[in-house]
Amino acid sequence: MRAADTLRAALAAALKELDLPWPDKLVVEPPREAKHGDLSTNAAMLLARAAKRNPRELGQELAARLPALCADIEHAEVAGPGFCNVTFRPSFWRRAVAEVESAGAAYGESDAGKGRKVLVEYVSANPTGPLHVGHGRGAAVGDSLARLLRKTGYAVETEYYLNDAGRQMRLLGLSVWLRLQELAGRAVEFPEDWYRGDYIRDLAADLLRREPALADLPEDESRARCGAYAVEQILGGIRADLAAFRVEHGRYFSEKSLVDGGAVDAAFAALEKAGYTYERDGALWFATTRLGDDKDRVLRKSDGSLTYFASDIAYHHDKYRRGHDWLVDVWGADHHGYIPRMRAAVAAMGEARESFDVVLIQLVNLLRDGKLVSMSTRAGEFVTLEEVLREVGPDAARFLFLSRKSDSPLDFDLELAKQRNLDNPVYYVQYAHARISSLLRRAAAQGLTLPERTDEAALAPLDTPEDMALLRQMAAFEDMLAQAAQNLAPHHVSRYLMDLAGSLHAYYARHQILLPDDEPRAVARLALLRAVGQTLRNGLFLLGVSAPESM
């Protein structure tokens, strides 16, 4: 049930009667205070000039027409400078129970995305070391975004961009090779920027045991083998960590394949055709200043090597060529300055700027015993995602990662994540679902069973303010999902679930459910709570979090 759509339909009919256009900036949203109604619209204020009328007078005209045009609207009234506040009938909200019962796991689905083809790329960590807790936040956001977009009618594919070429890979191979030489008893000198983690030593030791002769091979051959083995093993660990974290990628896209498959040449040709490239000092340049960047950027250096920017342009050009019309990248917040030049590249390729969006992931401050844990991949001082999952589990990790807006810093309290009480946000929500499941089991044990579909008459006993509040909150699920998808904001889901769980706990404390002397009211309340449980379950799935039936 989308109350906003119901009001929009009634508004459209009213405006047609008044011969007024649909305003571009029309807003339909809950008023600031619940006592002012269920929804409010600014239509009268936007149309007052076109109608040549005072906004309040026009608002009163709309308020008078809406109940006659929509039987679900109980009354409407004007407030402030011309807001039109609308209140729906209790029967409208009670129908939400039947809608949840009918839809089940599909409740909340919509066609808001209208099948638009979206490619969500996330994690994409260089295979130079294990995933750390910061990567975990990006993984949770990207995976939940994909789930959310699918739920709201988008055709979604997911991808991990595998940086398996370039300087970082050469440095990884060198780091493992140096450790291997050291383990073979050779004197080595480590460069300043090599990878120092214990995992480098472990990789070198494993490889030396497998291939003892490797230390004596020519350096180029031995280093190449060290690099290939390291990438293979590290990527295997990354895949395993993501699987344990309930994160899926439809495709791992190799950076090497860009050059091998001609994608770089194709991208350069597209930029040249559009007139955005030029050569200077033996290098190939991209004239990004013409598209709003602060300076032009090098694509191919004078020595013939490609810049990272060139590979990224080729990758995104390839994404568009594969038929995607909306690209959503999940990047670390340190890439903020990279966004304008990528938008410039998108525009130069002839694509709409709004067809490319970036979701930034801010740092995770991991706390252990009240102290901040520092993380540096190259120095080897970091807490891996595997360690976090082993300590707190995927449910707590995913929910906490998604509890705040992704571009805001997040304090991840390991002790809080392990607590099994209502101070722990994920436990708070999961317990609401388990509490409902327990109540339904108790009802069945007492011989009080619910039909698969509860008719409207059986829900009539839902008449208290708390009943109505819980119904309204549950019915807002689909609207919330559509808004969260539009804003690429999965944290809206976690906040909604916290609020819904809070309302459920308060409702349970205030009202007796299994009323021995009032079976009709008991059945109505059980049906309501069963629908709330389904809504909680559906929301938790979008976050990649389980919905236990007992705790």
Side-chain angles (χ1 to χ4, degrees):
M1 175 184 294
R2 296 191 67 185
D5 282 351
T6 302
L7 177 53
R8 287 190 187 97
L11 276 172
L15 294 179
K16 184 176 181 180
E17 288 184 354
L18 294 170
D19 195 27
L20 290 173
W22 184 269
D24 291 336
K25 296 183 179 180
L26 183 138
V27 173
V28 172
E29 61 186 6
R32 290 184 179 179
E33 297 184 39
K35 66 181 181 181
H36 292 155
D38 296 319
L39 289 175
S40 180
T41 178
N42 62 347
M45 292 182 288
L46 295 176
L47 292 169
R49 178 175 294 181
K52 298 180 180 179
R53 297 177 65 177
N54 178 280
R56 280 190 61 87
E57 290 180 1
L58 181 57
Q60 289 169 347
E61 178 75 21
L62 287 174
R65 289 174 181 266
L66 289 174
L69 291 168
C70 179
D72 288 321
I73 295 177
E74 188 170 55
H75 67 266
E77 60 185 10
V78 178
F83 288 104
C84 187
N85 295 334
V86 172
T87 300
F88 289 93
R89 297 183 185 278
S91 59
F92 173 79
W93 297 113
R94 292 185 192 119
R95 285 205 301 273
V97 173
E99 291 187 15
V100 178
E101 291 174 341
S102 178
Y107 179 60
E109 288 183 0
S110 71
D111 63 350
K114 302 188 183 303
R116 187 180 184 189
K117 295 181 179 179
V118 187
L119 179 60
V120 184
E121 181 226 323
Y122 51 100
V123 186
S124 298
N126 289 343
T128 54
L131 296 179
H132 56 61
V133 66
H135 295 134
R137 190 181 190 188
V141 169
D143 185 70
S144 292
L145 261 181
R147 295 175 187 231
L148 179 59
L149 290 168
R150 288 191 185 101
K151 186 80 169 178
T152 51
Y154 294 86
V156 181
E157 293 186 22
T158 57
E159 201 155 274
Y160 185 121
Y161 181 54
L162 184 60
N163 299 97
D164 55 358
R167 179 178 179 275
Q168 298 302 321
M169 294 301 98
R170 292 192 295 273
L171 188 58
L172 175 65
L174 172 62
S175 301
V176 175
W177 180 79
L178 288 171
R179 278 298 191 195
L180 184 142
Q181 293 295 318
E182 182 185 52
L183 290 170
R186 314 284 168 76
V188 296
E189 184 175 341
F190 295 101
E192 184 177 343
D193 58 352
W194 69 297
Y195 290 100
R196 297 174 172 81
D198 289 342
Y199 68 95
I200 296 294
R201 180 187 293 275
D202 294 340
L203 286 168
D206 289 342
L207 185 55
L208 189 59
R209 279 194 297 270
R210 290 168 180 263
E211 303 177 30
L214 193 60
D216 299 319
L217 292 179
E219 180 177 337
D220 288 348
E221 183 180 349
S222 183
R223 281 176 57 177
R225 174 62 187 135
C226 287
Y229 181 76
V231 169
E232 175 188 338
Q233 295 300 309
I234 291 172
L235 184 58
I238 287 173
R239 287 178 182 265
D241 289 347
L242 292 175
F245 200 36
R246 304 173 190 149
V247 171
E248 296 181 356
H249 288 89
R251 181 178 185 180
Y252 280 73
F253 190 98
S254 165
E255 182 184 1
K256 285 182 179 179
S257 70
L258 290 172
V259 177
D260 297 342
V264 173
D265 292 338
F268 284 2
L271 294 178
E272 182 181 6
K273 184 177 180 180
Y276 285 104
T277 60
Y278 63 91
E279 291 197 17
R280 188 179 69 198
D281 301 328
L284 180 66
W285 292 73
F286 178 15
T288 51
T289 51
R290 292 166 48 193
L291 295 162
D293 200 1
D294 59 342
K295 63 180 180 180
D296 290 349
R297 308 287 174 174
V298 176
L299 297 176
R300 187 176 57 237
K301 301 176 185 177
S302 57
D303 63 2
S305 63
L306 299 175
T307 62
Y308 288 120
F309 188 33
S311 296
D312 287 342
I313 292 174
Y315 177 41
H316 287 76
H317 183 253
D318 185 78
K319 290 181 182 181
Y320 285 115
R321 288 205 306 175
R322 284 185 269 146
H324 304 292
D325 48 35
W326 186 18
L327 309 184
V328 178
D329 290 0
V330 179
W331 292 352
D334 56 337
H335 286 73
H336 180 272
Y338 203 65
I339 297 175
R341 71 183 77 167
M342 277 309 307
R343 289 201 186 281
V346 166
M349 289 184 279
E351 305 291 344
R353 286 178 179 263
E354 58 269 22
S355 69
F356 171 72
D357 278 298
V358 175
V359 176
L360 292 175
I361 306 297
Q362 260 292 0
L363 296 175
V364 176
N365 300 314
L366 187 66
L367 304 178
R368 187 187 299 280
D369 297 326
K371 298 180 180 179
L372 188 66
V373 179
S374 63
M375 292 182 290
S376 170
T377 304
R378 188 161 295 156
E381 299 171 356
F382 59 91
V383 176
T384 66
L385 177 60
E386 180 187 16
E387 290 174 303
V388 171
L389 294 181
R390 189 165 56 244
E391 188 164 348
V392 307
D395 282 345
R398 286 191 65 132
F399 197 95
L400 290 175
F401 281 143
L402 296 164
S403 62
R404 296 195 63 189
K405 191 176 180 183
S406 64
D407 60 359
S408 298
L410 175 69
D411 288 339
F412 191 105
D413 189 328
L414 287 164
E415 295 307 313
L416 175 63
K418 290 185 290 185
Q419 289 178 12
R420 293 183 60 78
N421 58 43
L422 298 184
D423 292 331
N424 181 345
V426 67
Y427 187 93
Y428 187 75
V429 176
Q430 289 179 319
Y431 184 64
H433 181 270
R435 170 172 266 176
I436 293 171
S437 299
S438 174
L439 189 62
L440 293 171
R441 289 194 298 270
R442 284 166 49 202
Q446 296 176 19
L448 192 61
T449 57
L450 295 176
E452 289 188 12
R453 303 285 184 271
T454 312
D455 60 40
E456 190 169 336
L459 296 171
L462 298 176
D463 56 7
T464 70
E466 293 80 20
D467 290 322
M468 289 298 108
L470 196 53
L471 283 164
R472 290 187 186 98
Q473 201 164 13
M474 182 182 70
F477 185 59
E478 188 178 335
D479 280 330
M480 179 276 299
L481 293 184
Q483 191 68 31
Q486 181 180 340
N487 294 333
L488 300 175
H491 70 283
H492 287 345
V493 181
S494 60
R495 289 182 179 176
Y496 170 88
L497 293 177
M498 286 287 291
D499 290 342
L500 184 59
S503 296
L504 181 279
H505 292 313
Y507 184 90
Y508 186 87
R510 186 179 181 89
H511 292 289
Q512 185 178 357
I513 311 301
L514 302 180
L515 296 161
D517 300 324
D518 191 349
E519 184 172 321
R521 189 174 295 274
V523 168
R525 287 179 174 173
L526 283 170
L528 169 58
L529 296 194
R530 182 175 65 177
V532 170
Q534 182 70 64
T535 305
L536 288 167
R537 190 156 58 250
N538 292 1
L540 286 169
F541 172 79
L542 295 176
L543 300 182
V545 177
S546 68
E549 295 190 357
S550 62
M551 297 182 73

